[in-house]
Amino acid sequence: MSKIIKVKARQVFDSRGNPTIEAEVFTKNNSALAICPSGASTGTYEAFEKRDKNNKRYLGKSVLNAVNLINTKISKKLKGQNVHDQERIDTLLINLDGTRQKTRLGANSILAVSMAVKKLSARVKKLPLFKTFLVKNNFKLPYPLMNIINGGAHANNGLRIQEFMIRPDRAKNFSDAMRICYVVIKNLSKIIKNRGLSTSVGDEGGFAPMISSNNQALDLIVSAIKKSGFVNGRDVSICLDVAANELKKPILIEEFTELIKKYPIRSIEDPFKEDDWDSWKKLTKNTKIQIVGDDLFVTNTKRLAKGIKDNVANSILVKLNQIGTLSETLETIEMAHRAGYTCVISHRSGAPEDTILADIAVAVHSGQIKTGSLSRSDRLAKYNQLVRIEELLGQTAEYAGRSI
Ligand code: PGA
Ligand code: ZN
């Protein structure tokens, strides 16, 4: 047993420059760090993110009170605990908070600590992080869902759909998937430039050209896939995150059906608002493609269980800070897999350099990961970690293949 001797937190900054929490957990001879991410299009049912609303020095965005809670209450509670007993530690954190949405300590404080404990456990065991989850006997590299055009709350163009992604469905392995995405993104850049549009990027690293029509964005991507020598819908498909909570005027089921008919779209996330269960159910029934619940399920077993019972969606987006601890996240993934739902492990638009997502995706066989485009180091950090894991696994590295 390796005992935790203290937890120390500090305020650092995420990829948007906003304050966020870094937690550092110590045993006698080791320590490990983890940083919490932060969303822009957050769901109502997500766990609470604690910020110092009254601190005008950081425009109400600082996390100094949460940092203080870690340095005092949380550190005291975890002192003496076995660093390898993740479930017990997460339960202690949940109980110390004691509220339904983690409003007392904040899910950002709790998650930073929960992740740092896991990393420290791996360090003490001298194992790569992904090998310490013990969820499956083998490891599987996920498909990347690369967000190559940004809109909605992640850019200031007129695009209503938040994320336009590509998925390299015919890639032989993870490295091949990266190469395919690379070629499509470089060709997309040329096409955007040739149209006289800007190739500057949005919060998740995808291009954010000043266009306002969803079809125009989809046409650009279709052209880039073709120009790269790949077959649309066979080699590379398109995935969307509508983030419908943010829409002033909803997109109708018929409009989605048209889009799916016209374009090689194989996955749609949050097509409707978080409480519109009926529309979700109808679209799930009327299509064969992947329908992903993000703000709908908020990585929460209660909401996911309702979805499973009512045949709503067939996939879940997994974001650790929507629920607040690693153990709860793993429980949600397990519930989804048992019900035959696919899982997409996801970053947030405000991301740290932390790469734990990559390890989780490999350990739980998520099959899919979305962590932005091939730009912005906060996004590349996760992809590069997957490249390293693939190399480390060598011949034994399995790939999600065409199993989605
Ligand atoms: P967020 O967006 O991190 O800004 O909430 C990501 C998503 O909606 O998937
Ligand atoms: Zn989303």
Side-chain angles (χ1 to χ4, degrees), residues 45 244-245 250-253 256 271-284 295-296 303 306 312:
Y45 302 100
N245 271 355
I251 299 176
L252 306 173
I253 296 187
F256 284 120
F272 309 106
K273 288 188 193 299
E274 61 204 353
D275 287 319
D276 189 1
W277 295 89
D278 287 344
S279 298
W280 275 90
K281 190 172 173 170
K282 272 189 212 137
L283 183 65
T284 311
D295 293 339
L296 179 76
R303 291 191 61 92
K306 176 172 163 55
V312 171

Side-chain angles (χ1 to χ4, degrees), residues 16 38-43 46 153-154 162-163 203-204 241 243 246 269-270 294-295 317 319 321-322 346-350 370:
R16 270 194 284 253
S38 176
S41 60
T42 48
E46 289 192 23
H154 297 164
Q162 184 174 278
E163 301 175 17
D203 286 356
E204 298 188 343
D241 179 8
E246 305 293 316
E269 180 185 329
D270 281 1
D294 171 13
D295 293 339
L317 199 80
K319 291 168 165 168
N321 74 328
Q322 281 181 331
S346 172
H347 63 168
R348 298 305 304 237
S349 50
K370 76 164 196 179

Side-chain angles (χ1 to χ4, degrees), residues 62-279:
S62 57
V63 290
L64 300 167
N65 285 321
V67 162
N68 187 43
L69 282 169
I70 295 177
N71 290 338
T72 53
K73 283 200 163 80
I74 292 182
S75 183
K76 193 168 156 213
K77 192 78 188 173
L78 297 197
K79 193 172 168 196
Q81 292 299 319
N82 179 359
V83 72
H84 304 305
D85 200 345
Q86 184 77 37
E87 275 186 30
R88 180 179 160 81
I89 289 172
D90 286 343
T91 305
L92 284 174
L93 291 167
I94 291 165
N95 292 342
L96 184 64
D97 176 82
T99 68
R100 209 162 38 89
Q101 275 183 298
K102 303 188 172 68
T103 44
R104 190 164 295 139
L105 299 173
N108 42 347
S109 327
I110 295 173
L111 181 65
V113 174
S114 177
M115 293 190 299
V117 165
K118 183 71 184 162
K119 288 179 166 183
L120 181 53
S121 167
R123 187 160 293 168
V124 170
K125 287 179 176 164
K126 296 194 169 57
L127 281 172
L129 185 55
F130 68 93
K131 289 196 173 169
T132 63
F133 285 83
L134 304 177
V135 177
K136 310 266 182 191
N137 299 325
N138 57 345
F139 304 104
K140 209 176 244 182
L141 274 295
Y143 277 113
L145 271 65
M146 283 207 188
N147 176 1
I148 62 172
I149 293 188
N150 289 192
H154 297 164
N156 60 358
N157 52 18
L159 284 173
R160 293 165 70 213
I161 291 182
Q162 184 174 278
E163 301 175 17
F164 296 80
M165 294 169 276
I166 49 167
R167 195 178 65 191
D169 287 344
R170 282 272 177 121
K172 289 193 278 301
N173 50 42
F174 185 73
S175 306
D176 194 34
M178 291 296 284
R179 182 192 66 81
I180 293 167
C181 291
Y182 169 80
V183 175
V184 175
I185 288 167
K186 291 300 164 190
N187 278 311
L188 179 60
S189 171
K190 277 187 209 151
I191 292 169
I192 291 176
K193 225 181 280 170
N194 286 343
R195 306 257 163 110
L197 294 163
S198 161
T199 52
S200 61
V201 299
D203 286 356
E204 298 188 343
F207 299 117
M210 278 297 173
I211 53 174
S212 54
S213 137
N214 293 328
N215 285 48
Q216 204 183 344
L218 288 162
D219 288 334
L220 286 170
I221 297 173
V222 164
S223 307
I225 294 172
K226 209 161 155 202
K227 188 173 160 66
S228 308
F230 301 121
V231 177
N232 269 285
R234 192 192 72 179
D235 301 320
V236 181
S237 59
I238 298 178
C239 306
L240 303 176
D241 179 8
V242 178
N245 271 355
E246 305 293 316
L247 292 180
K248 285 197 185 76
K249 185 170 157 272
I251 299 176
L252 306 173
I253 296 187
E254 301 73 54
E255 295 178 72
F256 284 120
T257 317
E258 278 304 305
L259 279 181
I260 296 167
K261 229 187 273 168
K262 186 157 181 224
Y263 296 101
I265 296 168
R266 295 281 181 277
S267 176
I268 303 181
E269 180 185 329
D270 281 1
F272 309 106
K273 288 188 193 299
E274 61 204 353
D275 287 319
D276 189 1
W277 295 89
D278 287 344
S279 298

